[in-house]
Amino acid sequence: MRRVLTTLMILLVVLVAGLSALVLLVNPNDFRAYMVRQVETRSGYQLQLDGPLRWHVWPQLSILSGRMTLTAPGAQTAVVKADNMRLDVALWPLLSHQLQVKQVMLKGAIIQLTPQSKAAVQKDAPVAPKENALPDVADDRGWSWDIAGLQVADSVLVFQHEDDDPITVRDIRLQMEQDAQHKAALDFSGRVNRNQRDLTLSLSAKVDAQDYPHNLNAVVDSLKWQLQGGDVPSQGIAGEGRLQAQWQGAQRRLTLSNLSLSANDSAFTGNGSVTFAAQPVWALELNFDTLNLDNLLAPETRVATSNDVQQQGQQAQNRLPRPVIANNQDLPEYNGLRDFVAQVGVTAKTLHWRGMTFNDVNGQFANQLGLLTIPTLEGKMANGRIALPGTLDVRGDQSRAVFQPRLDDVEIGNILKAFNYPIALTGSLTLAGDFSGPRIDADNFRRHWQGEAHIDLKNSRMEGLNFQQLIQQAVARSSDVQTQENDDTATRLDDFTTDISLDEGQMTFSNMQGSSAVLSLTGEGQMDLVKEQTDTRFNVRVLQGWQGDGALIDFLKNTPIPLTIYGQWQSLHYSLQVDQLLRKHLQDEAKRRLNDWADRNKDHQNGKDVKKLLDKM
């Protein structure tokens, strides 16, 4: 055992001595010109190394350099700048005058993929039909160049496409290992901070670069990301997934397949592609099991009405202000739609939005440089169905949206609650309409949209005002008519129809007709969606609830009684003209009886005098 240990110690001493001798005898600066020349020969890029090169022996034999820059031919700025570079080299090839770099490590690097760092092609330069992307064969000068790995730490990537705003990726950590066939394993993490939003991203992938830049294939086994800040929901958006990607250089097309991603409690699969041209062309097919927009979109800011001021003042004491995202206020709405062409299909088994749940959602979207067409956007909502086909045109100075909503047997109470309308109304809504406006959001719809629609409401119930009770109580106070006890505080109708028109916050109701076993009504009116006020006039016939069979009750059953509902939605007032109606009824009844008496006594002077008096009235 002692001999074995002695032998191992001797070998270790010899190895250490050999390395020390190598470090002392070989000057790493002898490789400087060779590395610069090889980089320029193989890529055309200019490599500049500042400061002397030096050895680093433990734990890996390496060459250390100071500041380095890598510049594309004719570029205005360097594509890579690094404070430190480390080249991990193989020991035995050095003994035979070969420099085999196993890994390049950059620390504190700034990588700029911008128009200023791109190579500038000379006007008289020949154009090759296809660039050779395979490694060059080592020449006969006794040296070879081979890199198996790349490591980047604590670095920054600046990416800019044409004249778009630059995107900065910070805290980059990259580890890539490739074999002789240019198949690589890659681990990456970084952080993007833009418009007060912070995106953290990490991924692990296998990359096949045998035919790069003509073709590049990647399988992303693990992708994790988290988005916070700005107008993102307070809990942030986080998810993970996997996908396959292929880059086709000749077509400048990126294809995504086997796409599987999650975001909070939403998850989808799909595939797609994007062709990069003057106007990129997108094609996407996304299939969601669950799409919860309430957890992905920040709550929409609602402009306060007079009723909200006091409540919002109390809440503001406990609410931190949201950050303001700077943007160019001179840009038209939805300006980004002008820059690309897209065909997108979306399906979702379940979709949650504004507290509403939709099933079997299907949407088809086509964008043509600012003209967004939505031929299909439909889904089920409980026992009903909703469809919202339309268009959004942003090609002019002002955007314009046009939609033709179709609702069949949809619960109206859920819609009113979802869009913060304090109207206590329920029922099965069927609607067919045509509306247009400048922007697609709820508050803009209240204030600036126009349109018309026909509404059919089944089994409706309006809380707070019982038309039957209001009328019968008013009649009972003004006459000796008796009514049945009724403690219900809601107006119920089996059927209700109306035509509506919307003009910048003013909604007009016409041709209103409603009926039930108890009531029959007609009417017209207006609503102010911004001030949340109404002024609606009804003519109501109460068909049941009267006690007795007198002529007055028959008159009340067959006579529409004027009823006006007005004021703020949350504190409605009403006006009834029962007294005038009863007074007129008594006058008419008195006239009828006097007229009958006069007819019976037409041969007497008194009868003639009464007849003349009635004719003057």
Side-chain angles (χ1 to χ4, degrees):
M1 187 64 182
R2 183 179 297 175
R3 292 182 178 179
V4 174
L5 292 176
T6 303
T7 302
L8 291 176
M9 291 300 295
I10 294 173
L11 291 176
L12 181 60
V13 171
V14 171
L15 180 59
V16 172
L19 287 175
S20 301
L22 179 64
V23 171
L24 291 175
L25 297 176
V26 179
N27 185 355
N29 290 284
D30 294 341
F31 304 140
R32 179 195 299 269
Y34 171 74
M35 288 189 291
V36 171
R37 185 170 59 253
Q38 286 295 314
V39 168
E40 183 176 7
T41 299
R42 294 175 181 273
S43 65
Y45 283 67
Q46 298 293 323
L47 174 64
Q48 179 178 345
L49 301 173
D50 298 337
L53 304 179
R54 59 191 185 278
W55 287 113
H56 182 76
V57 177
W58 185 261
Q60 165 70 43
L61 184 61
S62 306
I63 299 176
L64 302 181
S65 78
R67 185 174 181 83
M68 63 81 63
T69 59
L70 185 66
T71 307
Q76 301 176 16
T77 61
V79 66
V80 179
K81 297 179 182 179
D83 296 332
N84 297 283
M85 182 175 68
R86 189 186 77 201
L87 306 177
D88 296 337
V89 300
L91 173 61
W92 299 114
L94 287 175
L95 302 177
S96 58
H97 285 244
Q98 291 182 337
L99 178 62
Q100 182 178 352
V101 179
K102 297 190 295 183
Q103 177 172 267
V104 176
M105 192 273 185
L106 300 177
K107 186 175 179 63
I110 299 176
I111 306 168
Q112 300 186 80
L113 302 179
T114 64
Q116 292 75 24
S117 66
K118 291 177 60 176
V121 180
Q122 298 180 2
K123 296 181 179 180
D124 56 349
V127 179
K130 183 178 179 181
E131 182 184 355
N132 179 19
L134 297 177
D136 292 343
V137 178
D139 55 29
D140 57 359
R141 288 174 291 178
W143 297 92
S144 65
W145 177 263
D146 187 15
I147 300 175
L150 172 65
Q151 182 179 0
V152 179
D154 300 331
S155 299
V156 175
L157 168 65
V158 179
F159 175 79
Q160 183 181 16
H161 178 69
E162 302 300 336
D163 295 329
D164 296 340
D165 293 335
I167 298 175
T168 302
V169 185
R170 305 180 186 278
D171 301 333
I172 290 179
R173 293 187 177 276
L174 172 67
Q175 179 70 50
M176 184 179 70
E177 302 287 342
Q178 71 170 350
D179 58 18
Q181 287 74 39
H182 295 276
K183 294 182 179 181
L186 181 146
D187 288 296
F188 169 86
S189 66
R191 180 175 59 86
V192 180
N193 186 280
R194 189 181 186 191
N195 289 338
Q196 299 184 4
R197 303 183 188 97
D198 192 87
L199 173 64
T200 302
L201 179 69
S202 64
L203 62 88
S204 297
K206 295 181 176 62
V207 180
D208 185 351
Q210 296 184 76
D211 193 26
Y212 179 80
H214 311 295
N215 289 285
L216 180 68
N217 295 286
V219 177
V220 180
D221 300 316
S222 176
L223 172 65
K224 295 182 180 180
W225 59 283
Q226 184 176 25
L227 180 64
Q228 293 181 319
D231 55 357
V232 175
S234 58
Q235 74 273 17
I237 303 175
E240 58 184 23
R242 60 184 183 275
L243 59 95
Q244 294 182 7
Q246 181 186 30
W247 168 255
Q248 297 170 289
Q251 294 81 13
R252 295 181 57 81
R253 180 184 297 124
L254 176 64
T255 303
L256 304 176
S257 59
N258 296 328
L259 185 63
S260 178
L261 292 176
S262 66
N264 290 351
D265 57 349
S266 302
F268 70 91
T269 60
N271 56 75
S273 67
V274 54
T275 301
F276 294 94
Q279 289 85 28
V281 179
W282 290 82
L284 292 173
E285 288 290 337
L286 305 178
N287 305 304
F288 290 84
D289 285 332
T290 300
L291 175 56
N292 190 347
L293 295 178
D294 292 336
N295 283 343
L296 298 177
L297 302 177
E300 185 175 282
T301 302
R302 176 174 173 236
V303 177
T305 64
S306 58
N307 295 331
D308 300 328
V309 173
Q310 182 177 0
Q311 180 181 359
Q312 290 184 352
Q314 295 172 353
Q315 294 175 349
Q317 298 177 0
N318 300 321
R319 183 175 65 242
L320 294 176
R322 296 189 65 85
V324 177
I325 299 175
N327 58 2
N328 191 341
Q329 299 295 333
D330 295 332
L331 291 178
E333 294 289 344
Y334 313 107
N335 185 64
L337 292 174
R338 300 179 177 183
D339 300 332
F340 65 94
V341 176
Q343 187 74 40
V344 180
V346 177
T347 63
K349 294 181 180 178
T350 303
L351 185 148
H352 302 285
W353 180 52
R354 287 181 171 267
M356 298 181 290
T357 299
F358 302 87
N359 297 309
D360 300 332
V361 176
N362 178 30
Q364 299 295 324
F365 307 85
N367 180 53
Q368 186 66 37
L369 303 178
L371 178 60
L372 176 63
T373 305
I374 309 175
T376 302
L377 181 57
E378 58 186 12
K380 297 178 181 178
M381 184 177 178
N383 297 324
R385 190 168 190 86
I386 184 170
L388 291 170
T391 60
L392 174 62
D393 191 346
V394 301
R395 295 172 297 181
D397 294 335
Q398 299 292 330
S399 60
R400 177 174 173 79
V402 178
F403 281 83
Q404 298 83 36
R406 300 291 184 270
L407 284 70
D408 295 312
D409 298 327
V410 174
E411 174 53 55
I412 190 174
N414 295 335
I415 297 177
L416 294 174
K417 181 180 178 181
F419 290 95
N420 304 313
Y421 286 99
I423 302 176
L425 177 65
T426 60
S428 181
L429 172 66
T430 297
L431 178 147
D434 193 340
F435 295 93
S436 63
R439 290 186 57 191
I440 304 176
D441 65 60
D443 188 69
N444 199 272
F445 178 85
R446 292 176 187 246
R447 297 172 178 275
H448 303 297
W449 279 55
Q450 305 87 30
E452 297 179 345
H454 178 76
I455 287 178
D456 188 347
L457 193 60
K458 303 290 187 183
N459 302 317
S460 64
R461 176 185 175 96
M462 187 175 69
E463 300 288 346
L465 288 176
N466 186 329
F467 287 4
Q468 176 194 4
Q469 186 183 69
L470 293 178
I471 292 173
Q472 290 184 333
Q473 287 179 350
V475 171
R477 288 193 299 266
S478 301
S479 68
D480 57 355
V481 174
Q482 300 297 314
T483 62
Q484 297 176 357
E485 292 292 333
N486 185 358
D487 296 329
D488 194 354
T489 60
T491 298
R492 302 170 184 265
L493 294 174
D494 296 334
D495 296 286
F496 177 81
T497 62
T498 184
D499 296 319
I500 65 171
S501 62
L502 177 65
D503 185 13
E504 296 187 348
Q506 300 298 319
M507 182 174 288
T508 302
F509 296 84
S510 58
N511 302 320
M512 285 195 291
Q513 295 183 1
S515 64
S516 70
V518 177
L519 295 175
S520 176
L521 61 83
T522 60
E524 60 182 14
Q526 296 83 33
M527 277 190 178
D528 190 321
L529 302 185
V530 179
K531 297 180 180 179
E532 297 186 352
Q533 296 176 346
T534 187
D535 183 7
T536 311
R537 298 161 297 282
F538 297 97
N539 293 311
V540 184
R541 289 192 299 125
V542 179
L543 308 177
Q544 294 183 10
W546 307 105
Q547 290 186 344
D549 295 321
L552 178 57
I553 292 177
D554 292 338
F555 168 79
L556 292 171
K557 288 182 179 180
N558 293 284
T559 302
I561 298 177
L563 171 63
T564 301
I565 305 296
Y566 63 95
Q568 296 289 334
W569 293 347
Q570 293 177 316
S571 58
L572 291 174
H573 303 275
Y574 71 93
S575 174
L576 274 169
Q577 300 178 9
V578 173
D579 293 339
Q580 297 91 323
L581 188 68
L582 292 175
R583 187 180 302 111
K584 185 177 184 301
H585 171 70
L586 292 175
Q587 291 174 349
D588 292 342
E589 183 65 17
K591 287 182 181 180
R592 183 186 65 79
R593 293 185 180 186
L594 288 173
N595 193 61
D596 291 343
W597 183 86
D599 289 340
R600 290 194 303 267
N601 297 274
K602 59 183 179 180
D603 295 333
H604 298 83
Q605 185 61 39
N606 290 336
K608 294 179 180 179
D609 293 340
V610 170
K611 192 70 173 177
K612 291 180 179 179
L613 179 63
L614 291 175
D615 292 340
K616 293 179 180 180
M617 294 179 63

